[in-house]
Structure formats: structure tokens, C-alpha cells
Amino acid sequence: MARLRYAGIVLMVIATTMAMTEARTIVVGGSENWRFGYNYTNWALKNSPFHINDKLVEVFKFDAPHNMYLLPNLYSYLKCDFRSAKLLAGAPNGVGEGFEAVLNQWRLYYFASSNDKDYSDGLMKFFAMLLPRRQ
Ligand SMILES: *[C@@H]1O[C@H](CO)[C@@H](O)[C@H](O)[C@H]1NC(C)=O
């Protein structure tokens, strides 16, 4: 019994280590970065699924006053309601190397830029769904 438990712990450590080494660093929007006029829902679909500990890098290279908020739920995401949103990166953070968000919780991550122009056309927002890694 003790041996079985030990084997279980070893397996868990191996699985965790594998999960950590496999985490991806993904630049949001790829070479388009975080900019007005690009469809990030589409981008997120193409880059899904995301996994625990993946890092999303937001680079605000183009026309600066973009930002990135984490929205608390689907409702606020659909309504573009930023009242209880958390500011992840304002314009100064995203310039240069960009800003990194680690997807380290089992939740749906709703991202959006709060700029009127950015979300009125529904483009500068996306959500990331995390799936377990395939072993
Ligand atoms: C963005 O892409 C998604 C998924 O491909 C699509 O459903 C949506 O209509 C697009 N939005 C706009 C504004 O083009």
C-alpha cells in the first residue's frame, strides 16, 4: 500500500514536470500583436486549446492607447462591462517586450481592451479555455 502511494506521488511529480516543460509562450495575435482591427476571437480559436501555465504575451506595438483587462465572467465579456474587470496591462506595460499573463488557474480567461474603439467592433477581445494536456 505504501509502495503504491509512493508510485502515485512519483507519477504526479513526473506529470507536473511534463506539464511545466510543455507550457507554451504565446504572443497574442502572433506577428499582428495587440492592435486595432485584428480579429482576436478568430486568433484564439486557431491557437486553442490553451493549457495550464501557458504564458500569453501581449505586445502593444501599434498605435499605443490599447490596454488589456481580465474580465470576471461571460456576462461582462459579452456586455463589455469593465466595472469589475482587472487591468492587466496599460499602454506603458505592453510596449517593448510586452506584458506576460500566465494562465495558471482552471478558469475561463476573458481578455479585452477597454478602449471604445477597440471593443465596439468586438474585435479586441477573446477568451481562452484551458484544457488538460494530453499525456
Ligand atoms: C471574428 O472571428 C470569429 C471567428 O472566426 C467570427 O465568428 C466573427 O464573426 C469575427 N468577427 C468579426 C467582427 O469579423
Side-chain angles (χ1 to χ4, degrees):
M1 209 47 207
R3 181 173 293 198
L4 248 178
R5 194 171 300 157
Y6 178 72
I9 291 169
V10 170
L11 269 177
M12 255 172 55
V13 169
I14 290 172
T16 310
T17 312
M18 278 175 61
M20 283 168 70
T21 52
E22 279 178 17
R24 297 184 297 170
T25 299
I26 308 153
V27 177
V28 175
S31 58
E32 299 293 331
N33 294 130
W34 187 236
R35 70 161 176 87
F36 179 71
Y38 186 72
N39 189 335
Y40 291 90
T41 301
N42 199 22
W43 173 86
L45 282 176
K46 284 190 186 144
N47 287 271
S48 289
F50 298 94
H51 299 108
I52 199 91
N53 290 329
D54 277 353
K55 277 183 205 155
L56 293 185
V57 182
E58 292 90 41
V59 185
F60 311 151
K61 248 186 205 157
F62 300 81
D63 46 33
H66 300 311
N67 56 37
M68 186 172 275
Y69 277 87
L70 182 63
L71 294 163
N73 50 46
L74 180 62
Y75 184 81
S76 56
Y77 177 76
L78 293 175
K79 297 283 176 194
C80 290
D81 175 356
F82 288 87
R83 277 175 300 179
S84 24
K86 184 181 161 206
L87 180 65
L88 293 180
N93 304 93
V95 175
E97 292 299 298
F99 168 82
E100 237 174 53
V102 183
L103 308 178
N104 57 4
Q105 288 170 35
W106 288 109
R107 54 163 288 179
L108 273 165
Y109 284 89
Y110 301 100
F111 297 103
S113 174
S114 73
N115 217 307
D116 280 3
K117 184 168 154 257
D118 292 346
Y119 69 72
S120 56
D121 65 357
L123 288 178
M124 282 191 83
K125 63 181 197 177
F126 68 96
F127 66 89
M129 193 170 67
L130 302 188
L131 288 186
R133 283 165 212 289
R134 256 185 283 166
Q135 296 302 321

